[in-house]
Amino acid sequence: MDSARVDQWLWSVRLTKTRADAAAACRGGRVEVNGKVAKPATKIVVDDRIEARLAGRQRIVVVTDVIAKRVGAAVAEGCFVDHSPPPPERLPEVAVFAERDRGTGRPTKRDRRKIDQLRGQRR
Protein backbone atom coordinates (compact mmCIF):
# COMPACT_ATOMS: atom_id res chain seq x y z
CA MET A 1 0.00 0.00 0.00
CA ASP A 2 1.47 3.34 -1.01
CA SER A 3 -1.00 5.78 0.65
CA ALA A 4 -3.74 5.83 3.27
CA ARG A 5 -6.12 8.29 4.93
CA VAL A 6 -4.56 10.08 7.89
CA ASP A 7 -7.47 9.30 10.26
CA GLN A 8 -7.32 5.63 9.33
CA TRP A 9 -3.54 5.51 9.78
CA LEU A 10 -3.63 7.23 13.20
CA TRP A 11 -6.11 4.60 14.36
CA SER A 12 -4.21 1.73 12.71
CA VAL A 13 -0.94 2.51 14.49
CA ARG A 14 -2.74 2.97 17.82
CA LEU A 15 -2.14 6.69 18.30
CA THR A 16 -5.90 7.10 18.90
CA LYS A 17 -8.31 4.68 20.51
CA THR A 18 -10.95 4.91 17.79
CA ARG A 19 -11.07 6.02 14.19
CA ALA A 20 -13.81 8.46 15.15
CA ASP A 21 -11.39 10.08 17.64
CA ALA A 22 -8.79 10.40 14.88
CA ALA A 23 -11.32 11.95 12.49
CA ALA A 24 -12.51 14.37 15.19
CA ALA A 25 -8.92 15.44 15.87
CA CYS A 26 -8.44 16.12 12.16
CA ARG A 27 -11.68 18.09 11.88
CA GLY A 28 -10.70 20.07 14.97
CA GLY A 29 -7.42 21.17 13.38
CA ARG A 30 -5.24 19.23 15.83
CA VAL A 31 -3.49 17.14 13.14
CA GLU A 32 -0.94 18.48 10.65
CA VAL A 33 0.71 16.58 7.81
CA ASN A 34 3.97 18.13 6.62
CA GLY A 35 3.08 21.44 8.29
CA LYS A 36 -0.43 21.74 6.82
CA VAL A 37 -3.66 21.20 8.73
CA ALA A 38 -5.09 17.84 7.65
CA LYS A 39 -8.64 16.78 6.95
CA PRO A 40 -9.57 13.18 7.83
CA ALA A 41 -9.28 12.10 4.18
CA THR A 42 -5.80 13.59 3.66
CA LYS A 43 -3.57 10.96 2.06
CA ILE A 44 -0.26 10.14 3.71
CA VAL A 45 2.76 8.38 2.25
CA VAL A 46 6.06 7.12 3.63
CA ASP A 47 8.31 9.86 5.08
CA ASP A 48 5.39 12.21 5.86
CA ARG A 49 5.73 14.09 9.15
CA ILE A 50 2.56 14.07 11.26
CA GLU A 51 2.12 16.44 14.19
CA ALA A 52 -0.93 15.79 16.35
CA ARG A 53 -2.23 16.96 19.70
CA LEU A 54 -3.84 13.81 21.05
CA ALA A 55 -5.02 13.15 24.61
CA GLY A 56 -3.42 16.32 25.90
CA ARG A 57 -0.01 15.47 24.46
CA GLN A 58 1.92 16.67 21.43
CA ARG A 59 2.86 13.75 19.17
CA ILE A 60 5.35 14.14 16.31
CA VAL A 61 5.84 11.05 14.15
CA VAL A 62 7.38 10.24 10.79
CA VAL A 63 5.63 7.56 8.73
CA THR A 64 7.85 4.58 7.88
CA ASP A 65 5.12 2.17 6.76
CA VAL A 66 1.62 2.88 5.48
CA ILE A 67 -1.10 0.56 6.76
CA ALA A 68 -4.88 0.80 6.64
CA LYS A 69 -5.91 -2.02 8.98
CA ARG A 70 -5.41 -2.03 12.73
CA VAL A 71 -2.49 -4.24 13.73
CA GLY A 72 -0.92 -5.44 16.94
CA ALA A 73 1.05 -3.05 19.13
CA ALA A 74 4.39 -4.63 18.25
CA VAL A 75 3.77 -4.23 14.51
CA ALA A 76 2.32 -0.72 14.96
CA GLU A 77 5.52 0.52 16.63
CA GLY A 78 7.45 -0.26 13.46
CA CYS A 79 5.19 1.86 11.27
CA PHE A 80 6.46 5.21 12.55
CA VAL A 81 9.44 6.92 14.16
CA ASP A 82 8.43 8.92 17.23
CA HIS A 83 10.04 12.35 17.64
CA SER A 84 7.60 13.48 20.34
CA PRO A 85 8.84 15.34 23.38
CA PRO A 86 8.74 13.20 26.52
CA PRO A 87 5.45 13.33 28.40
CA PRO A 88 5.38 15.65 31.40
CA GLU A 89 6.05 13.95 34.69
CA ARG A 90 2.94 13.15 36.62
CA LEU A 91 2.74 14.63 40.05
CA PRO A 92 1.83 12.16 42.76
CA GLU A 93 -1.75 12.61 43.78
CA VAL A 94 -2.25 13.55 47.38
CA ALA A 95 -5.39 12.18 48.93
CA VAL A 96 -7.22 15.14 50.41
CA PHE A 97 -10.66 14.57 51.76
CA ALA A 98 -12.80 17.50 52.68
CA GLU A 99 -14.80 16.24 55.60
CA ARG A 100 -17.69 18.14 57.07
CA ASP A 101 -19.20 17.72 60.46
CA ARG A 102 -22.33 15.67 60.45
CA GLY A 103 -25.48 17.77 60.37
CA THR A 104 -23.90 21.02 59.13
CA GLY A 105 -25.94 21.00 55.93
CA ARG A 106 -24.89 21.66 52.39
CA PRO A 107 -21.56 23.37 51.73
CA THR A 108 -21.81 27.04 50.91
CA LYS A 109 -20.52 28.41 47.65
CA ARG A 110 -17.35 29.52 49.44
CA ASP A 111 -16.92 26.04 50.99
CA ARG A 112 -17.43 24.40 47.58
CA ARG A 113 -14.71 26.57 46.05
CA LYS A 114 -12.30 25.62 48.83
CA ILE A 115 -13.10 21.92 48.38
CA ASP A 116 -12.59 22.17 44.60
CA GLN A 117 -9.31 24.00 45.15
CA LEU A 118 -8.08 21.25 47.46
CA ARG A 119 -9.01 18.60 44.93
CA GLY A 120 -7.36 20.53 42.08
CA GLN A 121 -10.59 20.87 40.12
CA ARG A 122 -12.05 23.86 38.36
CA ARG A 123 -15.64 24.54 37.58
Side-chain angles (χ1 to χ4, degrees):
M1 177 173 279
D2 51 332
S3 69
R5 290 172 54 115
V6 69
D7 64 336
Q8 194 172 22
W9 187 83
L10 288 171
W11 169 74
S12 298
V13 297
R14 298 172 176 264
L15 290 177
T16 59
K17 288 188 178 189
T18 65
R19 185 168 171 194
D21 288 345
C26 292
R27 283 192 301 273
R30 294 186 301 272
V31 177
E32 295 179 4
V33 176
N34 297 326
K36 296 179 184 174
V37 176
K39 294 181 179 180
T42 301
K43 295 291 185 183
I44 60 162
V45 294
V46 174
D47 292 330
D48 277 352
R49 178 183 174 94
I50 299 176
E51 296 181 33
R53 289 176 297 286
L54 303 169
R57 185 173 168 213
Q58 180 71 19
R59 301 297 304 260
I60 302 169
V61 297
V62 175
V63 179
T64 58
D65 190 15
V66 177
I67 57 174
K69 298 288 183 186
R70 193 158 170 102
V71 294
V75 176
E77 286 179 359
C79 294
F80 62 91
V81 176
D82 196 356
H83 297 290
S84 305
E89 290 188 27
R90 296 181 67 170
L91 299 174
E93 292 189 26
V94 178
V96 177
F97 297 101
E99 293 186 19
R100 295 181 51 83
D101 294 330
R102 190 170 172 92
T104 58
R106 282 180 62 168
T108 62
K109 193 171 192 175
R110 182 176 178 199
D111 292 339
R112 173 58 58 197
R113 286 185 185 138
K114 286 181 180 178
I115 292 169
D116 288 344
Q117 187 178 16
L118 286 172
R119 290 182 180 166
Q121 297 175 348
R122 296 193 72 176
R123 285 191 169 206

